[in-house]
Amino acid sequence: MSPLKQLTQQERINFLLTNRIPRRWATLFFGWFSRIENPLLCKVSLAAWKLFADDLDLHESKQTRFKSLHECFIRELKEGARPIDADPQVMVSPCDAVVGAHGRIENDTLFQAKGFPYEALDLLGDPERVARFRDGTYVTLRLKSTMYHRFHAPYDCAVREVNYISGDTWNVNPIALERVERLFCKNERAVIDLEVSESRPPLTLVPIAAILVASLRLHFLEQNLELRYKGPNRIACDAAFTKGEEMGYFQHGSTIVVLAHKDYQLHEAVAFGDRIRMGQPLLRLP
């Protein structure tokens, strides 16, 4: 079997397994299991994980031994492992990812996969936000479970509010995106508006949870945003970041949709299916 066919078969099996079980309870159970601090259990779990994900690479990690799977999922990298592009016209990728659907927002319509459109209002839940990005640019960044799970500021910016939208925990792999309509609009997510410095047009990050993942830690909020969260949806804050500074992390892997004003253009190096690293060019101002 060719590597491509093998990958597709693995994704189909993954889709069937993860979307035919109670997703909420599976996610809560895995969240508990991943935090068990037992080096032997962690070692066995990592070995089992590598059987299904041979691209798990820890050589850039600050630490090589972990007390729990959770420690591995949220691992930090060695100093200098992700150089930040210094071009003042460039907005960098906030995370390591595989580049998914991207392009111009057609009025208010984006695509999660070919033939699967969704509306910006369904994703963002706020008409005022939708108006900012009409005919703008979007990029879908998929964080595989094996990747570095922390995300960073794409430019110097401030965050004044986070809008947390509770939802489901569908798998977000390519097979699911080609089968489940409006998937991103159904899943747990947070809408993070970035006030970009130097009077540049706005950006918004939408981290989207998935099965086994639904927990988002933002360093500037006291609480985790997760299935058990019962607080207000709109959370006021006052946080400032420099380009490349860490903002938070997923627990396992998921997706970030980046929405940009129409003045931004996709960087010429961005292509569907390519891997991009945090700190590499993602968007550019002309």
Side-chain angles (χ1 to χ4, degrees), residues 22-32 35 164-170 186-189 208-217 223-231 251:
R23 291 183 293 275
R24 176 183 175 85
W25 294 112
T27 299
L28 292 171
F29 170 80
F30 192 79
W32 165 80
R35 285 180 168 80
Y164 178 67
I165 303 174
S166 182
D168 209 325
T169 56
W170 285 93
K186 296 176 179 179
N187 273 17
E188 296 266 333
R189 59 198 183 275
I208 300 168
I211 191 166
L212 309 184
V213 183
S215 181
L216 178 68
R217 178 60 180 168
Q223 60 275 72
N224 281 347
L225 301 180
E226 57 184 8
L227 293 179
R228 292 191 177 94
Y229 175 73
K230 302 298 182 184
Q251 291 206 42

Side-chain angles (χ1 to χ4, degrees), residues 118 123 140 172 183-190 206-210 213 216 250 253-257:
Y118 63 98
L123 179 72
T140 307
V172 293
L183 191 156
F184 294 149
C185 305
K186 296 176 179 179
N187 273 17
E188 296 266 333
R189 59 198 183 275
V206 187
I208 300 168
V213 183
L216 178 68
F250 288 109
S254 195
T255 295
I256 296 178
V257 177

